[in-house]
């Protein structure tokens, strides 16, 4: 399986890419959501994430990105 250092590096890259690509309404637009999903899938594959666990990881990352985006919107409104 993946080592801790490789997982840490993957997490850092994922967070940076999600922040860069997440817009306020990205989760409402299917094309933008699909592009985000492809980006996450490619990163997981690039870092050697186990293929049998990728689907769950992708959904988890997208859900976390949605929560992150909602938090950012709320924080910027205040």
């Amino acid at each position: 399986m993946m080592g801790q250092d490789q997982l840490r590096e993957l997490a850092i890259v994922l967070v940076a890419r999600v922040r860069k690509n997440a817009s306020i309404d990205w989760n409402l637009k299917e094309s933008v959501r699909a592009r985000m999903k492809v980006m996450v899938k490619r990163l997981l594959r690039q870092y050697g994430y186990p293929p049998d666990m990728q689907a769950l990881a992708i959904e988890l990352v997208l859900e976390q990105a949605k929560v992150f985006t909602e938090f950012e919107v709320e924080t910027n409104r205040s």
Side-chain angles (χ1 to χ4, degrees):
M1 287 283 198
M2 300 177 69
Q4 280 188 334
D5 290 338
Q6 193 174 15
L7 278 173
R8 185 179 304 116
E9 184 179 338
L10 172 59
I12 291 169
V13 172
L14 270 172
V15 168
R17 296 248 179 112
V18 166
R19 281 185 174 159
K20 181 179 177 184
N21 292 300
S23 63
I24 292 173
D25 59 350
W26 75 269
N27 59 327
L28 301 176
K29 295 182 179 179
E30 195 59 38
S31 62
V32 179
R33 183 174 166 82
R35 192 169 51 234
M36 180 84 77
K37 190 173 184 177
V38 168
M39 182 263 307
V40 172
K41 190 173 186 176
R42 284 181 181 161
L43 272 175
L44 292 176
R45 193 176 312 128
Q46 177 184 345
Y47 279 84
Y49 200 85
D52 59 330
M53 299 173 70
Q54 284 185 7
L56 180 61
I58 290 168
E59 290 308 312
L60 180 61
V61 169
L62 292 178
E63 183 60 34
Q64 289 175 344
K66 179 180 174 184
V67 171
F68 168 77
T69 304
E70 290 170 354
F71 176 77
E72 288 292 309
V73 169
E74 287 299 316
T75 302
N76 290 333
R77 278 191 201 160
S78 301

Coordinates of all heavy atoms in Angstrom, one line a residue:
M1 N 0.8 -1.2 0.0 CA 0.0 0.0 0.0 C 0.9 1.3 0.0 O 2.1 1.2 0.0 CB -0.9 0.0 1.2 CG -2.0 -1.0 1.1 SD -3.3 -0.3 0.1 CE -4.6 -1.3 0.5
M2 N 0.2 2.4 0.1 CA 0.9 3.6 0.1 C 1.5 3.9 1.4 O 0.9 3.6 2.5 CB 0.0 4.8 -0.3 CG -0.7 4.6 -1.7 SD -1.9 5.9 -2.0 CE -0.8 7.3 -2.2
G3 N 2.7 4.6 1.4 CA 3.3 5.0 2.7 C 2.7 6.3 3.1 O 2.0 7.0 2.4
Q4 N 3.0 6.7 4.4 CA 2.5 7.9 5.0 C 3.0 9.1 4.2 O 2.2 10.1 4.0 CB 2.9 8.0 6.4 CG 2.0 7.2 7.3 CD 2.3 7.5 8.8 OE1 3.4 7.9 9.2 NE2 1.3 7.3 9.6
D5 N 4.2 9.1 3.8 CA 4.8 10.3 3.1 C 4.1 10.5 1.8 O 3.7 11.7 1.4 CB 6.3 10.1 2.9 CG 7.1 10.2 4.2 OD1 6.5 10.8 5.2 OD2 8.2 9.7 4.2
Q6 N 3.8 9.4 1.1 CA 3.1 9.5 -0.2 C 1.7 10.0 0.0 O 1.2 10.8 -0.8 CB 3.2 8.2 -0.9 CG 2.8 8.3 -2.4 CD 3.0 6.9 -3.1 OE1 3.1 5.9 -2.5 NE2 2.9 7.0 -4.4
L7 N 1.0 9.5 1.0 CA -0.4 9.9 1.3 C -0.4 11.4 1.7 O -1.3 12.1 1.3 CB -1.0 9.1 2.4 CG -1.6 7.7 2.0 CD1 -1.9 6.9 3.3 CD2 -2.7 7.9 1.1
R8 N 0.6 11.8 2.5 CA 0.6 13.2 2.9 C 0.8 14.1 1.6 O 0.1 15.1 1.5 CB 1.8 13.4 3.9 CG 1.9 14.9 4.4 CD 3.0 15.1 5.4 NE 2.9 14.1 6.5 CZ 3.8 13.2 6.8 NH1 4.9 13.1 6.0 NH2 3.7 12.4 7.8
E9 N 1.7 13.7 0.8 CA 2.0 14.5 -0.5 C 0.7 14.5 -1.3 O 0.3 15.6 -1.9 CB 3.1 13.9 -1.2 CG 3.5 14.7 -2.5 CD 4.7 14.1 -3.2 OE1 5.5 13.3 -2.6 OE2 4.8 14.3 -4.4
L10 N 0.0 13.4 -1.5 CA -1.2 13.4 -2.2 C -2.3 14.3 -1.6 O -2.9 15.0 -2.3 CB -1.8 11.9 -2.3 CG -3.1 11.7 -2.9 CD1 -3.2 12.2 -4.3 CD2 -3.6 10.3 -2.8
A11 N -2.4 14.3 -0.3 CA -3.4 15.1 0.4 C -3.1 16.6 0.1 O -4.0 17.4 -0.2 CB -3.4 14.9 1.9
I12 N -1.8 17.0 0.2 CA -1.4 18.4 0.0 C -1.8 18.8 -1.5 O -2.3 19.9 -1.7 CB 0.1 18.6 0.3 CG1 0.3 18.4 1.8 CG2 0.6 19.9 -0.3 CD1 1.8 18.3 2.2
V13 N -1.4 18.0 -2.4 CA -1.7 18.3 -3.8 C -3.2 18.3 -4.1 O -3.7 19.2 -4.8 CB -1.0 17.2 -4.8 CG1 -1.5 17.5 -6.2 CG2 0.5 17.3 -4.7
L14 N -4.0 17.4 -3.5 CA -5.4 17.4 -3.6 C -6.0 18.7 -3.1 O -6.9 19.3 -3.8 CB -6.0 16.2 -2.9 CG -6.2 14.9 -3.7 CD1 -6.6 13.8 -2.8 CD2 -7.2 15.1 -4.9
V15 N -5.6 19.1 -1.9 CA -6.2 20.3 -1.3 C -5.9 21.5 -2.2 O -6.8 22.3 -2.5 CB -5.7 20.5 0.1 CG1 -6.0 21.9 0.6 CG2 -6.2 19.5 1.0
A16 N -4.7 21.6 -2.7 CA -4.3 22.7 -3.5 C -5.1 22.8 -4.8 O -5.6 23.8 -5.2 CB -2.8 22.7 -3.9
R17 N -5.3 21.6 -5.4 CA -6.0 21.6 -6.7 C -7.5 21.9 -6.5 O -8.2 22.5 -7.3 CB -5.9 20.2 -7.4 CG -4.4 20.0 -7.8 CD -4.3 19.9 -9.3 NE -2.9 19.7 -9.7 CZ -2.5 18.6 -10.3 NH1 -3.3 17.6 -10.6 NH2 -1.2 18.5 -10.6
V18 N -8.1 21.3 -5.4 CA -9.5 21.6 -5.1 C -9.7 23.1 -4.8 O -10.6 23.7 -5.4 CB -10.0 20.7 -3.9 CG1 -11.3 21.2 -3.4 CG2 -10.1 19.3 -4.3
R19 N -8.8 23.7 -4.1 CA -9.0 25.1 -3.8 C -8.9 25.9 -5.1 O -9.6 26.9 -5.3 CB -7.9 25.6 -2.8 CG -8.1 25.3 -1.4 CD -7.1 25.8 -0.5 NE -7.5 25.6 0.9 CZ -6.7 25.6 1.9 NH1 -5.4 25.8 1.7 NH2 -7.1 25.4 3.1
K20 N -8.0 25.5 -6.0 CA -7.8 26.2 -7.2 C -9.0 26.1 -8.2 O -9.4 27.0 -8.9 CB -6.5 25.7 -7.9 CG -6.2 26.4 -9.2 CD -5.0 25.8 -9.8 CE -4.7 26.4 -11.2 NZ -3.5 25.8 -11.8
N21 N -9.6 24.9 -8.2 CA -10.7 24.6 -9.1 C -12.1 24.7 -8.6 O -13.0 24.7 -9.4 CB -10.5 23.2 -9.7 CG -9.2 23.0 -10.5 OD1 -9.1 23.7 -11.5 ND2 -8.3 22.2 -10.1
A22 N -12.3 24.9 -7.3 CA -13.6 25.0 -6.7 C -14.1 26.4 -6.8 O -13.5 27.3 -6.3 CB -13.6 24.5 -5.3
S23 N -15.2 26.6 -7.5 CA -15.9 27.9 -7.6 C -17.1 27.8 -6.6 O -17.4 26.8 -6.1 CB -16.3 28.2 -9.0 OG -17.3 27.3 -9.4
I24 N -17.7 28.9 -6.4 CA -18.8 29.0 -5.5 C -19.9 28.0 -5.8 O -20.4 27.3 -4.9 CB -19.4 30.4 -5.5 CG1 -18.4 31.4 -4.9 CG2 -20.7 30.5 -4.7 CD1 -18.8 32.8 -4.9
D25 N -20.3 27.8 -7.1 CA -21.3 26.9 -7.4 C -20.9 25.7 -8.2 O -21.6 25.1 -9.0 CB -22.4 27.7 -8.2 CG -21.8 28.3 -9.5 OD1 -20.6 28.3 -9.7 OD2 -22.6 28.8 -10.3
W26 N -19.6 25.3 -8.0 CA -19.1 24.2 -8.8 C -19.9 22.9 -8.6 O -20.0 22.1 -9.6 CB -17.6 23.9 -8.5 CG -17.4 23.3 -7.1 CD1 -17.2 23.9 -5.9 CD2 -17.4 21.9 -6.9 NE1 -17.1 23.0 -5.0 CE2 -17.2 21.7 -5.5 CE3 -17.5 20.7 -7.7 CZ2 -17.1 20.5 -4.9 CZ3 -17.4 19.5 -7.1 CH2 -17.2 19.4 -5.7
N27 N -20.4 22.7 -7.4 CA -21.1 21.4 -7.2 C -22.5 21.4 -7.8 O -23.2 20.4 -7.9 CB -21.2 21.1 -5.7 CG -21.9 22.2 -4.9 OD1 -21.8 23.3 -5.3 ND2 -22.6 21.8 -3.9
L28 N -23.0 22.6 -8.3 CA -24.3 22.6 -8.9 C -24.2 22.4 -10.5 O -25.2 22.1 -11.1 CB -24.9 24.0 -8.6 CG -25.2 24.3 -7.2 CD1 -25.7 25.7 -7.0 CD2 -26.1 23.3 -6.5
K29 N -23.0 22.7 -11.0 CA -22.8 22.6 -12.4 C -22.2 21.2 -12.7 O -21.1 20.9 -12.3 CB -21.9 23.7 -13.0 CG -22.6 25.1 -12.9 CD -21.7 26.1 -13.5 CE -22.3 27.5 -13.3 NZ -21.5 28.5 -13.9
E30 N -22.9 20.4 -13.5 CA -22.5 19.0 -13.7 C -21.2 19.0 -14.5 O -20.3 18.1 -14.2 CB -23.6 18.3 -14.5 CG -23.4 16.8 -14.4 CD -23.4 16.2 -13.0 OE1 -24.1 16.6 -12.2 OE2 -22.6 15.2 -12.8
S31 N -21.0 19.8 -15.4 CA -19.7 19.8 -16.2 C -18.5 20.1 -15.3 O -17.5 19.5 -15.4 CB -19.8 20.8 -17.4 OG -19.9 22.1 -16.9
V32 N -18.7 21.1 -14.4 CA -17.6 21.5 -13.5 C -17.3 20.4 -12.5 O -16.2 20.0 -12.2 CB -17.9 22.8 -12.8 CG1 -16.7 23.2 -11.9 CG2 -18.1 23.9 -13.8
R33 N -18.4 19.8 -12.0 CA -18.3 18.6 -11.1 C -17.6 17.5 -11.7 O -16.7 16.8 -11.1 CB -19.6 18.3 -10.5 CG -19.6 17.2 -9.5 CD -21.0 16.9 -8.9 NE -21.1 15.7 -8.2 CZ -20.7 15.6 -6.9 NH1 -20.2 16.6 -6.3 NH2 -20.8 14.4 -6.3
A34 N -17.9 17.2 -13.0 CA -17.3 16.1 -13.7 C -15.8 16.3 -13.9 O -15.0 15.4 -13.8 CB -18.0 15.9 -15.1
R35 N -15.5 17.6 -14.2 CA -14.1 17.9 -14.4 C -13.3 17.8 -13.1 O -12.1 17.3 -13.1 CB -14.0 19.4 -15.0 CG -12.6 19.7 -15.5 CD -12.5 21.0 -16.2 NE -13.2 22.1 -15.5 CZ -14.1 22.9 -16.0 NH1 -14.6 22.7 -17.2 NH2 -14.6 23.9 -15.2
M36 N -13.9 18.2 -12.0 CA -13.3 18.0 -10.7 C -13.1 16.5 -10.4 O -12.0 16.1 -9.9 CB -14.1 18.7 -9.6 CG -13.5 18.6 -8.2 SD -12.3 19.8 -7.8 CE -13.4 21.2 -7.5
K37 N -14.0 15.7 -10.7 CA -14.0 14.3 -10.5 C -12.8 13.6 -11.3 O -12.1 12.8 -10.7 CB -15.3 13.6 -10.8 CG -15.5 12.2 -10.4 CD -16.9 11.7 -10.6 CE -17.1 10.3 -10.1 NZ -18.5 9.9 -10.3
V38 N -12.7 14.0 -12.5 CA -11.6 13.5 -13.4 C -10.3 13.9 -12.8 O -9.3 13.1 -12.8 CB -11.8 14.0 -14.8 CG1 -10.6 13.7 -15.6 CG2 -13.0 13.3 -15.4
M39 N -10.2 15.2 -12.3 CA -8.9 15.7 -11.8 C -8.5 14.8 -10.6 O -7.4 14.4 -10.4 CB -9.1 17.1 -11.4 CG -7.8 17.8 -10.9 SD -7.7 17.9 -9.1 CE -9.2 18.7 -8.6
V40 N -9.5 14.6 -9.7 CA -9.2 13.8 -8.5 C -8.8 12.4 -8.9 O -7.8 11.8 -8.3 CB -10.4 13.8 -7.5 CG1 -10.2 12.8 -6.4 CG2 -10.7 15.2 -7.0
K41 N -9.5 11.8 -9.8 CA -9.2 10.4 -10.2 C -7.8 10.3 -10.8 O -7.1 9.4 -10.5 CB -10.3 10.0 -11.3 CG -10.2 8.5 -11.6 CD -11.4 8.1 -12.5 CE -11.4 6.7 -12.8 NZ -12.6 6.3 -13.6
R42 N -7.4 11.2 -11.6 CA -6.1 11.2 -12.2 C -5.0 11.4 -11.1 O -4.0 10.7 -11.2 CB -5.9 12.4 -13.2 CG -6.6 12.1 -14.5 CD -6.4 13.2 -15.5 NE -7.1 13.0 -16.7 CZ -7.4 13.9 -17.6 NH1 -7.1 15.1 -17.4 NH2 -8.1 13.6 -18.7
L43 N -5.2 12.2 -10.2 CA -4.3 12.4 -9.1 C -4.1 11.1 -8.3 O -3.0 10.7 -7.9 CB -4.7 13.5 -8.1 CG -4.2 14.9 -8.5 CD1 -4.7 16.0 -7.6 CD2 -2.7 15.0 -8.5
L44 N -5.2 10.5 -8.0 CA -5.2 9.2 -7.2 C -4.4 8.2 -8.0 O -3.6 7.5 -7.4 CB -6.6 8.7 -6.9 CG -7.4 9.6 -5.9 CD1 -8.8 9.0 -5.8 CD2 -6.8 9.6 -4.6
R45 N -4.7 8.1 -9.3 CA -4.0 7.1 -10.1 C -2.5 7.4 -10.2 O -1.6 6.6 -10.1 CB -4.6 7.1 -11.5 CG -4.1 5.9 -12.3 CD -4.8 5.8 -13.7 NE -6.2 5.9 -13.6 CZ -6.9 6.8 -14.4 NH1 -6.3 7.5 -15.2 NH2 -8.2 6.9 -14.3
Q46 N -2.1 8.7 -10.3 CA -0.8 9.2 -10.4 C 0.0 8.8 -9.1 O 1.2 8.5 -9.2 CB -0.7 10.7 -10.6 CG 0.6 11.3 -10.7 CD 0.6 12.8 -10.8 OE1 -0.4 13.4 -11.1 NE2 1.7 13.5 -10.5
Y47 N -0.6 8.9 -8.0 CA 0.1 8.6 -6.7 C 0.0 7.2 -6.3 O 0.4 6.8 -5.2 CB -0.5 9.5 -5.6 CG 0.2 10.9 -5.7 CD1 -0.3 11.9 -6.5 CD2 1.3 11.2 -4.9 CE1 0.3 13.1 -6.6 CE2 1.9 12.5 -5.0 CZ 1.4 13.4 -5.8 OH 2.0 14.7 -5.9
G48 N -0.6 6.3 -7.2 CA -0.7 4.9 -6.9 C -1.7 4.5 -5.8 O -1.5 3.5 -5.1
Y49 N -2.8 5.3 -5.7 CA -3.8 5.0 -4.8 C -4.5 3.7 -5.2 O -4.7 3.5 -6.4 CB -4.9 6.1 -4.8 CG -5.7 6.1 -3.5 CD1 -5.3 6.7 -2.4 CD2 -7.0 5.5 -3.5 CE1 -6.1 6.7 -1.2 CE2 -7.8 5.5 -2.4 CZ -7.3 6.1 -1.3 OH -8.1 6.1 -0.1
P50 N -4.8 2.8 -4.3 CA -5.4 1.4 -4.7 C -6.6 1.6 -5.6 O -7.6 2.3 -5.1 CB -5.7 0.8 -3.4 CG -4.8 1.5 -2.4 CD -4.6 2.9 -2.9
P51 N -6.7 1.0 -6.7 CA -7.8 1.1 -7.6 C -9.1 0.7 -7.0 O -10.2 1.3 -7.3 CB -7.5 0.2 -8.8 CG -6.0 0.0 -8.7 CD -5.6 0.2 -7.3
D52 N -9.1 -0.3 -6.2 CA -10.4 -0.8 -5.6 C -11.0 0.2 -4.6 O -12.1 0.1 -4.2 CB -10.2 -2.2 -5.0 CG -9.2 -2.2 -3.9 OD1 -8.2 -1.4 -4.0 OD2 -9.3 -3.0 -3.0
M53 N -10.2 1.2 -4.2 CA -10.6 2.1 -3.2 C -10.8 3.5 -3.7 O -11.2 4.5 -3.1 CB -9.6 2.2 -2.0 CG -9.4 0.9 -1.3 SD -8.1 0.9 -0.1 CE -8.8 2.0 1.2
Q54 N -10.6 3.7 -5.0 CA -10.6 5.0 -5.7 C -12.1 5.6 -5.7 O -12.2 6.8 -5.5 CB -10.1 5.0 -7.1 CG -8.6 4.9 -7.1 CD -8.0 5.0 -8.5 OE1 -8.7 5.2 -9.5 NE2 -6.7 4.8 -8.6
A55 N -13.1 4.8 -6.0 CA -14.4 5.3 -6.1 C -14.9 6.0 -4.8 O -15.4 7.1 -4.8 CB -15.4 4.2 -6.5
L56 N -14.6 5.3 -3.7 CA -15.0 5.9 -2.4 C -14.2 7.1 -2.1 O -14.7 8.1 -1.6 CB -14.7 4.8 -1.3 CG -15.1 5.2 0.1 CD1 -16.5 5.6 0.3 CD2 -14.7 4.1 1.1
A57 N -12.9 7.1 -2.4 CA -12.0 8.2 -2.1 C -12.4 9.4 -3.0 O -12.4 10.6 -2.5 CB -10.5 7.9 -2.5
I58 N -12.8 9.2 -4.2 CA -13.3 10.3 -5.1 C -14.5 11.0 -4.5 O -14.6 12.2 -4.4 CB -13.5 9.8 -6.5 CG1 -12.2 9.5 -7.2 CG2 -14.3 10.9 -7.3 CD1 -12.3 8.7 -8.5
E59 N -15.5 10.2 -4.1 CA -16.7 10.7 -3.5 C -16.4 11.5 -2.2 O -17.0 12.5 -2.0 CB -17.7 9.6 -3.3 CG -18.3 9.1 -4.6 CD -18.8 10.2 -5.5 OE1 -19.6 11.1 -5.1 OE2 -18.5 10.2 -6.7
L60 N -15.5 10.9 -1.4 CA -15.2 11.6 -0.2 C -14.5 12.9 -0.4 O -14.8 13.9 0.2 CB -14.2 10.7 0.7 CG -13.8 11.2 2.0 CD1 -15.0 11.5 2.9 CD2 -12.8 10.3 2.7
V61 N -13.6 13.0 -1.4 CA -12.9 14.2 -1.7 C -13.9 15.3 -2.2 O -13.9 16.4 -1.8 CB -11.8 14.0 -2.7 CG1 -11.2 15.3 -3.3 CG2 -10.6 13.2 -2.1
L62 N -14.8 14.8 -3.1 CA -15.8 15.8 -3.6 C -16.8 16.3 -2.5 O -17.1 17.5 -2.5 CB -16.6 15.1 -4.8 CG -15.8 14.8 -6.0 CD1 -16.7 14.1 -7.1 CD2 -15.2 16.1 -6.6
E63 N -17.1 15.4 -1.6 CA -18.0 15.9 -0.5 C -17.3 16.9 0.4 O -17.8 17.9 0.8 CB -18.4 14.7 0.3 CG -19.4 15.0 1.4 CD -20.7 15.7 1.0 OE1 -21.2 15.3 -0.1 OE2 -21.2 16.5 1.7
Q64 N -16.0 16.6 0.6 CA -15.2 17.5 1.5 C -15.0 18.8 0.7 O -15.0 19.9 1.3 CB -13.9 16.9 1.8 CG -14.0 15.8 2.8 CD -12.7 15.0 3.1 OE1 -11.7 15.2 2.3 NE2 -12.6 14.3 4.2
A65 N -14.8 18.8 -0.6 CA -14.7 20.0 -1.4 C -15.9 20.8 -1.3 O -15.9 22.1 -1.2 CB -14.3 19.7 -2.8
K66 N -17.1 20.2 -1.3 CA -18.4 20.9 -1.2 C -18.5 21.6 0.1 O -18.8 22.7 0.2 CB -19.5 19.9 -1.4 CG -20.9 20.5 -1.3 CD -21.9 19.4 -1.5 CE -23.3 20.0 -1.2 NZ -24.3 18.9 -1.2
V67 N -18.1 20.9 1.2 CA -18.2 21.5 2.5 C -17.2 22.6 2.6 O -17.5 23.7 3.2 CB -17.9 20.4 3.6 CG1 -17.7 21.0 5.0 CG2 -19.0 19.4 3.6
F68 N -16.0 22.4 2.1 CA -15.0 23.5 2.1 C -15.5 24.7 1.4 O -15.4 25.9 1.9 CB -13.7 23.0 1.5 CG -12.7 24.1 1.2 CD1 -11.9 24.6 2.2 CD2 -12.5 24.6 -0.1 CE1 -11.0 25.6 1.9 CE2 -11.6 25.6 -0.4 CZ -10.9 26.1 0.7
T69 N -16.1 24.5 0.2 CA -16.6 25.7 -0.6 C -17.7 26.4 0.1 O -17.7 27.6 0.2 CB -17.1 25.2 -2.0 OG1 -16.0 24.5 -2.6 CG2 -17.5 26.3 -2.8
E70 N -18.6 25.6 0.7 CA -19.7 26.3 1.5 C -19.2 27.1 2.7 O -19.6 28.2 2.9 CB -20.7 25.2 2.0 CG -21.5 24.6 0.9 CD -22.3 23.4 1.3 OE1 -22.1 22.9 2.4 OE2 -23.1 22.9 0.5
F71 N -18.1 26.5 3.3 CA -17.5 27.2 4.5 C -16.9 28.5 4.0 O -17.0 29.6 4.6 CB -16.5 26.3 5.1 CG -15.7 27.0 6.2 CD1 -16.3 27.2 7.5 CD2 -14.4 27.5 6.0 CE1 -15.6 27.9 8.5 CE2 -13.7 28.1 7.0 CZ -14.3 28.3 8.3
E72 N -16.2 28.5 2.9 CA -15.5 29.6 2.3 C -16.5 30.7 2.0 O -16.3 31.9 2.2 CB -14.7 29.3 1.1 CG -13.4 28.5 1.4 CD -12.4 29.3 2.1 OE1 -12.1 30.4 1.7 OE2 -11.9 28.8 3.2
V73 N -17.6 30.3 1.4 CA -18.7 31.3 1.0 C -19.2 31.9 2.3 O -19.4 33.2 2.3 CB -19.8 30.6 0.2 CG1 -21.0 31.5 0.0 CG2 -19.3 30.2 -1.2
E74 N -19.5 31.1 3.3 CA -20.1 31.7 4.5 C -19.1 32.6 5.2 O -19.4 33.6 5.7 CB -20.5 30.5 5.5 CG -21.8 29.8 5.0 CD -23.0 30.8 5.0 OE1 -23.2 31.6 5.9 OE2 -23.7 30.7 4.0
T75 N -17.8 32.2 5.2 CA -16.8 33.0 5.9 C -16.6 34.3 5.2 O -16.4 35.4 5.8 CB -15.4 32.2 5.9 OG1 -15.6 31.0 6.6 CG2 -14.4 33.0 6.6
N76 N -16.6 34.3 3.9 CA -16.4 35.6 3.1 C -17.7 36.5 3.2 O -17.5 37.7 3.0 CB -16.1 35.2 1.7 CG -14.7 34.6 1.5 OD1 -13.9 34.9 2.3 ND2 -14.5 33.8 0.5
R77 N -18.8 36.0 3.5 CA -20.0 36.8 3.7 C -20.0 37.6 5.0 O -20.5 38.6 5.1 CB -21.3 35.9 3.7 CG -21.8 35.6 2.3 CD -23.1 35.0 2.4 NE -23.3 34.2 1.2 CZ -24.2 33.3 1.1 NH1 -25.0 33.0 2.1 NH2 -24.4 32.6 0.0
S78 N -19.4 37.0 6.0 CA -19.4 37.6 7.3 C -18.5 38.8 7.4 O -17.6 39.0 6.7 CB -18.9 36.6 8.3 OG -19.8 35.5 8.3

